[in-house]
Amino acid sequence: DKLSLTSKPLIYACGSGTEALAQLGFLDNREVAVHHNALEGLKQKYPAVSFKETVFELDKDILTFAIGS
């Protein structure tokens, strides 16, 4: 499926917003961008989420950005 930006709403998240979505289960079985400092901790806390050490990930209708602190 190719995503058309006009066809459906997107959810954007970065930093702690990404973790909030993971806590709610919205990121289960999705690929999610995460800053390398948080990668291992989030992988252990939310094993159903596929965290990637990338700048951004678009998985269907959720766009995540990795930010550092």
Side-chain angles (χ1 to χ4, degrees):
D1 259 341
K2 191 170 186 177
L3 177 66
S4 169
L5 295 179
T6 59
S7 67
K8 32 177 135 163
L10 287 174
I11 297 172
Y12 300 89
C14 62
S16 60
T18 300
E19 185 168 7
L21 291 178
Q23 286 175 335
L24 295 169
F26 288 119
L27 302 180
D28 287 359
N29 304 309
R30 294 187 183 253
E31 292 187 352
V32 176
V34 66
H35 189 270
H36 64 91
N37 288 342
L39 183 63
E40 291 307 315
L42 290 173
K43 279 183 171 183
Q44 290 177 7
K45 258 178 127 171
Y46 309 102
V49 180
S50 180
F51 291 103
K52 305 288 183 185
E53 191 177 333
T54 57
V55 175
F56 69 91
E57 288 288 334
L58 175 61
D59 189 330
K60 297 181 182 81
D61 57 347
I62 297 182
L63 178 62
T64 55
F65 296 91
I67 58 170
S69 54

